[in-house]
Amino acid sequence: MASLTDHLADLVEDVDAALLFSPTSSFYERFADAEVEVVVVAPDNDVDAETFVELPLPFDNVKDRIRFGIEGAMDEGLLAEGDEVACVASVFDAGSDAVIRATVDEGVHTGIYDLFANSRAEPSVIRDVFEVAIELGQKGQKGKPVGALFVVGDAGKVMNKSRPLSYNPFEKSHVHVGDPIVNVMLKEFSRLDGAFVVSDSGKIVSAYRYLEPAAEGVDIPKGLGARHMSGAAITRDTNSTSIVLSESDGLVRAFKAGELVLEIDPEEY
């Protein structure tokens, strides 16, 4: 009679690499003689792994964590399209308690790794702004669709390339995105025109900013309007990241270096 091990052996059979998510030192040492590439994906390389991908956010959703790890390994040249990967992760906070097999394809390559790992702003700040934009996309403003533009990082240059449309309610404040009360304020102010400017550390520098970057040479998908164009252009002229909620189609998009790098449907998030 075949054992349970025999039945489950196909999970790891002929894989090209193993991704270990935040393993303990003792668990990692068990892979010392592995015949495949072993990649540690964790906030810090505490196990002194030879091959390491930084995980700047916890990603409570295991699927998101694995997709991020695979994309990071692709960006680092450790995985290629078509590779089969065994992902060893924690689901119940009991150490490495799950093995998930995945096939690497370009569909996994969304741009989210570059967005979080290589942006000037802190990864947690990018995450917090995304969460505000996604919640706005899900609920709207008083039940109606709303658009919003957040420019995150390199705030000094962004301010120099923009002008106020109205009084800045955050001028003398020291509030940060991620605070639940502040997030409510951001949602209320999103009804009005202009961009929010957020510093590298998450401080809300301004609301109601009219961005004035040069738009020549900026290529955005057809159908996107002035909010997306200015959001893309400001990231080409500064070292910032723009997160834009579209009022027309309800999607959340991120721009870096003048290019679209990520697109999310809030209803599927």
Side-chain angles (χ1 to χ4, degrees):
M1 179 180 294
S3 68
L4 183 61
T5 302
D6 294 329
H7 286 302
L8 297 180
D10 57 346
L11 273 175
V12 295
E13 184 178 6
D14 296 327
V15 296
D16 300 291
L19 266 59
L20 310 183
F21 289 80
S22 301
T24 62
S25 295
S26 58
F27 187 82
Y28 174 66
E29 289 171 0
R30 293 164 60 181
F31 289 79
D33 298 323
E35 297 177 353
V36 298
E37 181 87 71
V38 177
V39 182
V40 168
V41 185
D44 299 292
N45 191 5
D46 294 330
V47 298
D48 294 324
E50 293 183 8
T51 311
F52 171 71
V53 171
E54 182 182 1
L55 188 70
L57 295 170
F59 289 101
D60 294 334
N61 184 294
V62 176
K63 181 179 178 181
D64 290 341
R65 196 185 319 157
I66 289 174
R67 289 187 60 156
F68 187 94
I70 290 176
E71 184 168 336
M74 291 176 72
D75 278 14
E76 298 292 335
L78 304 173
L79 295 177
E81 185 170 12
D83 284 349
E84 294 291 325
V85 185
C87 303
V88 184
S90 171
V91 175
F92 296 103
D93 293 325
S96 300
D97 56 13
V99 178
I100 300 167
R101 185 178 180 121
T103 302
V104 178
D105 62 58
E106 282 302 320
V108 177
H109 208 210
T110 62
I112 192 170
Y113 177 80
D114 178 71
L115 179 67
F116 282 103
N118 298 321
S119 291
R120 170 167 166 155
E122 296 176 10
S124 60
V125 174
I126 300 284
R127 178 200 61 200
D128 290 339
V129 174
F130 253 113
E131 289 181 352
V132 172
I134 287 170
E135 188 169 347
L136 268 173
Q138 291 171 338
K139 299 180 181 180
Q141 183 61 250
K142 298 183 178 179
K144 297 182 180 180
V146 64
L149 168 57
F150 302 86
V151 185
V152 188
D154 208 3
K157 286 187 178 179
V158 173
M159 293 293 283
N160 287 336
K161 288 184 173 290
S162 62
R163 58 181 172 84
L165 288 172
S166 181
Y167 166 72
N168 176 17
F170 300 103
E171 185 172 6
K172 296 182 179 180
S173 69
H174 296 278
V175 297
H176 287 68
V177 67
D179 183 302
I181 296 176
V182 175
N183 288 356
V184 171
M185 294 171 61
L186 292 175
K187 293 168 190 174
E188 286 296 321
F189 290 137
S190 68
R191 294 181 295 109
L192 304 176
D193 290 334
F196 294 99
V197 179
V198 182
S199 75
D200 299 339
S201 63
K203 181 180 181 295
I204 303 172
V205 177
S206 183
Y208 310 143
R209 297 297 292 188
Y210 179 78
L211 305 179
E212 298 181 306
E216 291 81 4
V218 176
D219 185 20
I220 64 173
K222 292 182 179 179
L224 301 182
R227 180 181 284 120
H228 291 84
M229 178 62 76
S230 62
I234 196 70
T235 67
R236 184 194 58 182
D237 290 357
T238 67
N239 192 13
S240 63
T241 299
S242 287
I243 297 172
V244 187
L245 170 62
S246 172
E247 185 174 0
S248 58
D249 64 18
L251 299 183
V252 175
R253 297 177 175 88
F255 295 89
K256 274 185 64 181
E259 297 182 356
L260 177 67
V261 295
L262 185 63
E263 185 176 86
I264 293 177
D265 184 345
E267 298 301 330
E268 297 178 359
Y269 186 74

